Amino acid sequence: MLVTCPVCGVENSTGGLCPSCYLRENPPFSVKTPLKRFVCPLCNSYKKGNRWIQVSGGNDPFVEIALDAARHAVHLESSDQVAWENQPRLSILGRSGEALPLSVGVRVEVTGRLRGGGEAYTGEAELEVRLEKRVCPSCSRRKGKSFTTILQIRAENRGLTSGELETIKRIVTLSGGLSHVVSLEEEHGGVNIKTSNSRVARRIADKIRAVFGGTLSGTAKLVTRDRQTGKRVYRGTLLLRIPEYCVDDTVSYCDRYWVVKQVTGEKVVLSGLDEDRVVAVPWARAAGIQLVKKSGDYHPAVVTLRTSNMLQVYDMVTCENLDVEHGLWLDMQPGERTRIVRLDGKTLV
Ligand SMILES: [Zn+2]
Ligand SMILES: [Zn+2]
């Protein structure tokens, strides 16, 4: 007896939903989503079960990994409704980015024939493959053996400040070589950054030096010989010494006092403390710059008296009146706030 399907109105002999409406409501296949795969950022191999699989070396390793994962995520039920004809067809919908971690969207299409009538059946689904970053064991081993560079960052005669540490960590993260950074450890008031790639270490060092200045030196030491390849294995050390002084500190250079105005990867810019003069000292000649006073050693002061040839200031920390003997104070007026520093028994503004 033929009845009409309550959903689409087509006459059929099932006594209820027609076969195509039934399959729409009860899909005879399922997909698992989202899927997760670990991908090695160094060699693009991916983890499948307990094994790491090398990609074939085609154009896009992430697409290859996502399709392989998706292929195993489609489950065709042994349906008495549909005779499956082909393997599921997979196509890439898109991806969330170019670098790990990223997600790849995959479209799944399954086809078959309805049992009985023999009409074509097509089902569709979408799934998401999340690719996460994890260094594979082989790369970890390679890292341990191959040219490993330790970048040591030290400040002259002091520990790194917390602000400097923050900046260094940010530079390491942003310099894109994070997958080559084995560790970042604070030690002896400085930082040791171990990398599996000497170029990455050098790039990080240059970026840090562009901010803090200083001098970079390096050594490479033969550690061992690789037993399998016979290649020499070196361990390099890069030492970045950043200066003791920071911007706004007072330094001596060429028998004069200066305030540090700017520190870059190329030079230190100094402004004369008691004369109107600015010099740029390249790092090759910067060894003669010595810290005299930290900027925090300055005292806030206010100008109390001014005559034609002298200036009196009130030190707001020690509460004393001081005569200023040197300084670029010629246009300062009583009541004006300033900061003072005592050097060689003299007060400088
Ligand atoms: Zn129907
Ligand atoms: Zn790897």
Side-chain angles (χ1 to χ4, degrees):
M1 192 187 84
L2 290 178
V3 294
T4 53
C5 168
V7 174
C8 67
V10 161
E11 286 193 330
N12 68 88
S13 56
T14 60
L17 290 173
C18 72
S20 52
C21 286
Y22 176 83
L23 289 173
R24 206 182 310 118
E25 297 303 317
N26 305 280
F29 72 101
S30 61
V31 296
K32 219 162 75 185
T33 184
L35 301 163
K36 191 162 83 173
R37 282 288 182 278
F38 290 114
V39 181
C40 176
L42 302 179
C43 65
N44 284 335
S45 64
Y46 61 101
K47 197 174 184 203
K48 192 172 177 180
N50 282 326
R51 293 201 308 139
W52 284 83
I53 313 286
Q54 290 287 328
V55 290
S56 67
N59 292 337
D60 192 329
F62 298 149
V63 163
E64 181 181 334
I65 295 165
L67 289 178
D68 180 75
R71 201 163 291 127
H72 294 88
V74 183
H75 177 61
L76 301 178
E77 272 149 38
S78 54
S79 163
D80 50 9
Q81 308 276 331
V82 179
W84 299 112
E85 284 187 327
N86 299 304
Q87 289 297 310
R89 261 203 299 274
L90 305 173
S91 52
I92 298 294
L93 288 166
R95 60 157 85 171
S96 65
E98 291 305 310
L100 295 170
L102 57 88
S103 288
V104 182
V106 180
R107 185 170 169 275
V108 178
E109 191 187 295
V110 293
T111 53
R113 299 248 157 223
L114 297 188
R115 293 194 195 278
E119 295 157 61
Y121 168 78
T122 306
E124 281 179 19
E126 290 177 8
L127 60 84
E128 180 192 359
V129 186
R130 293 179 183 162
L131 304 182
E132 295 188 1
K133 193 155 68 175
R134 179 177 286 182
V135 175
C136 74
S138 127
C139 284
S140 306
R141 279 196 301 275
R142 208 167 66 224
K143 269 180 168 181
K145 276 187 181 177
S146 70
F147 199 114
T148 296
T149 305
I150 304 171
L151 169 59
Q152 299 180 317
I153 303 164
R154 299 286 184 272
E156 208 72 56
N157 296 324
R158 64 175 174 88
L160 294 169
T161 66
S162 56
E164 287 168 339
L165 282 171
E166 280 309 305
T167 304
I168 288 168
K169 286 175 187 169
R170 203 169 56 238
I171 289 171
V172 170
T173 309
L174 292 178
S175 55
L178 207 55
S179 60
H180 298 278
V181 173
V182 179
S183 67
L184 187 153
E185 284 160 7
E186 294 171 31
E187 190 186 280
H188 307 310
V191 170
N192 288 348
I193 301 167
K194 288 188 183 154
T195 68
S196 63
N197 183 313
S198 56
R199 279 194 307 273
V200 170
R202 181 70 203 218
R203 196 165 74 219
I204 293 172
D206 286 342
K207 285 186 177 171
I208 293 171
R209 194 166 163 269
V211 176
F212 298 118
T215 51
L216 186 64
S217 55
T219 54
K221 192 170 73 180
L222 182 64
V223 179
T224 181
R225 199 176 271 269
D226 188 295
R227 265 187 239 146
Q228 275 153 19
T229 64
K231 280 186 184 164
R232 294 189 184 98
V233 178
Y234 292 93
R235 179 154 297 161
T237 303
L238 283 176
L239 174 62
L240 175 61
R241 282 203 170 278
I242 69 175
E244 184 176 12
Y245 47 83
C246 305
V247 168
D248 284 344
D249 288 349
T250 301
V251 295
S252 67
Y253 178 66
C254 293
D255 297 325
R256 290 174 183 281
Y257 292 125
W258 310 81
V259 174
V260 179
K261 284 292 164 193
Q262 195 193 5
V263 177
T264 72
E266 288 84 44
K267 60 186 188 289
V268 187
V269 179
L270 304 175
S271 164
L273 191 61
D274 54 2
E275 60 178 338
D276 199 359
R277 191 175 154 200
V278 173
V279 293
V281 185
W283 283 107
R285 287 196 279 117
I289 302 175
Q290 295 294 324
L291 176 69
V292 175
K293 289 275 184 188
K294 298 296 290 176
S295 61
D297 295 337
Y298 278 75
H299 289 179
V302 62
V303 178
T304 49
L305 189 70
R306 179 201 159 94
T307 67
S308 57
N309 59 356
M310 62 90 77
L311 193 69
Q312 199 176 63
V313 295
Y314 179 75
D315 185 326
M316 292 197 273
V317 175
T318 63
C319 301
E320 46 184 347
N321 276 304
L322 299 164
D323 288 333
V324 174
E325 301 180 35
H326 287 275
L328 297 168
W329 49 267
L330 292 171
D331 55 352
M332 297 190 89
Q333 298 299 329
E336 199 168 320
R337 281 170 181 273
T338 183
R339 37 176 232 151
I340 55 170
V341 62
R342 307 246 335 141
L343 287 172
D344 305 335
K346 296 173 185 171
T347 302
L348 297 176
V349 170

